[in-house]
Amino acid sequence: DTAVSQTPKYLVTQMGNDKSIKCEQNLGHDTMYWYKQDSKKFLKIMFSYNNKELIINETVPNRFSPKSPDKAHLNLHINSLELGDSAVYFCASSQERDEQFFGPGTRLTVL
Amino acid sequence: GENVEQHPSTLSVQEGDSAVIKCTYSDSASNYFPWYKQELGKGPQLIIDIRSNVGEKKDQRIAVTLNKTAKHFSLHITETQPEDSAVYFCAASRRRTDSWGKLQFGAGTQVVVTP
């Protein structure tokens, strides 16, 4: 009965590759988010979608492109991966602006 | 934009003692202040939150206080147990306004409870 799930949990890849992280929530929420947690544990929002519409788009390189096929899914595609993209990426969901529930995270390592 | 500062960065306590984590925020329009607990290898989990129309909220061994005038809020954990060991994050947002739930997080506090 996982509420917010992400795949994969670990992702190791070479610089320059393109990769995707998938997120799904079964809470019936209408808003989903992507956060990046760096090596110092600092959490920063990247994107937010409400009913498949992009509503928050922080200063993130355009190599990062979120895609929301429906309200329950928000995927993150990253082009031309760089060393600095190594981090843990968390998906979260909420009902409108209410409490946010986080997924287990995807640890991305770029070599 | 909002800026949230969190102290201390690390906190070691003996089992049974209390732990206090403090946060300050800069945006006077912020009205929602959640606290998250992140265990090793897991995602942050909401443990308690407080809205700006409330000064204090308690849930069993944890409590949060908010001082809107001073723009600071604190997390209090009483009777700490080893399972309280984790990283704790405070956050602030303008809930139900134009910011669509954009949470600004503090830098986190690593809490270690020693038996």
Side-chain angles (χ1 to χ4, degrees):
Chain A
D1 60 343
T2 305
V4 182
S5 59
Q6 295 178 228
T7 54
K9 187 165 176 62
Y10 299 97
L11 186 53
V12 181
T13 188
Q14 299 287 334
M15 270 197 309
N17 285 349
D18 302 339
K19 290 292 179 185
S20 292
I21 306 172
K22 295 185 177 182
C23 177
E24 176 181 2
Q25 55 94 4
N26 63 5
L27 297 167
H29 290 165
D30 60 4
T31 305
M32 296 185 72
Y33 310 80
W34 276 111
Y35 286 86
K36 179 180 181 180
Q37 187 172 48
D38 63 22
S39 57
K40 295 184 179 180
K41 298 278 190 181
F42 188 71
L43 270 165
K44 186 170 171 56
I45 191 166
M46 300 172 68
F47 303 101
S48 176
Y49 271 73
N50 173 257
N51 284 317
K52 301 196 298 175
E53 181 184 346
L54 182 65
I55 52 173
I56 295 176
N57 186 356
E58 290 297 281
T59 308
V60 176
N62 56 15
R63 298 182 294 104
F64 290 78
S65 53
K67 285 187 172 50
S68 181
D70 54 58
K71 282 194 332 181
H73 295 85
L74 180 63
N75 304 323
L76 183 65
H77 188 76
I78 316 170
N79 289 327
S80 304
L81 278 156
E82 300 177 357
L83 292 176
D85 297 332
S86 295
V88 181
Y89 292 85
F90 288 100
C91 176
S93 74
S94 69
Q95 181 56 31
E96 293 194 343
R97 303 177 181 101
D98 281 340
E99 293 84 357
Q100 295 182 25
F101 294 82
F102 283 74
T106 295
R107 180 174 293 278
L108 171 65
T109 303
V110 182
L111 303 175
Chain B
E2 175 67 278
N3 182 47
V4 177
E5 294 192 358
Q6 182 172 347
H7 300 280
S9 56
T10 59
L11 181 58
S12 293
V13 295
Q14 286 287 117
E15 183 177 357
D17 288 349
S18 295
V20 180
I21 304 170
K22 298 182 179 182
C23 289
T24 59
Y25 61 98
S26 60
D27 185 355
S28 57
S30 288
N31 55 13
Y32 174 61
F33 308 92
W35 286 88
Y36 284 84
K37 175 183 180 182
Q38 185 178 20
E39 296 176 338
L40 194 62
K42 296 184 178 180
Q45 178 185 11
L46 180 71
I47 55 172
I48 195 168
D49 58 14
I50 191 166
R51 278 101 169 124
S52 60
N53 59 347
V54 175
E56 184 173 357
K57 184 176 177 181
K58 190 173 182 180
D59 182 4
Q60 299 183 328
R61 295 187 297 106
I62 60 173
V64 58
T65 59
L66 171 65
N67 183 327
K68 284 194 321 182
T69 304
K71 290 191 281 190
H72 66 69
F73 55 113
S74 301
L75 178 72
H76 303 252
I77 308 172
T78 58
E79 301 173 23
T80 53
Q81 301 167 4
E83 52 264 38
D84 294 330
S85 297
V87 179
Y88 291 80
F89 293 94
C90 63
S93 78
R94 296 183 181 187
R95 191 161 174 262
R96 299 197 181 282
T97 64
D98 60 346
S99 294
W100 272 102
K102 179 179 172 181
L103 287 176
Q104 187 70 38
F105 281 88
T109 296
Q110 175 74 62
V111 173
V112 177
V113 180
T114 52

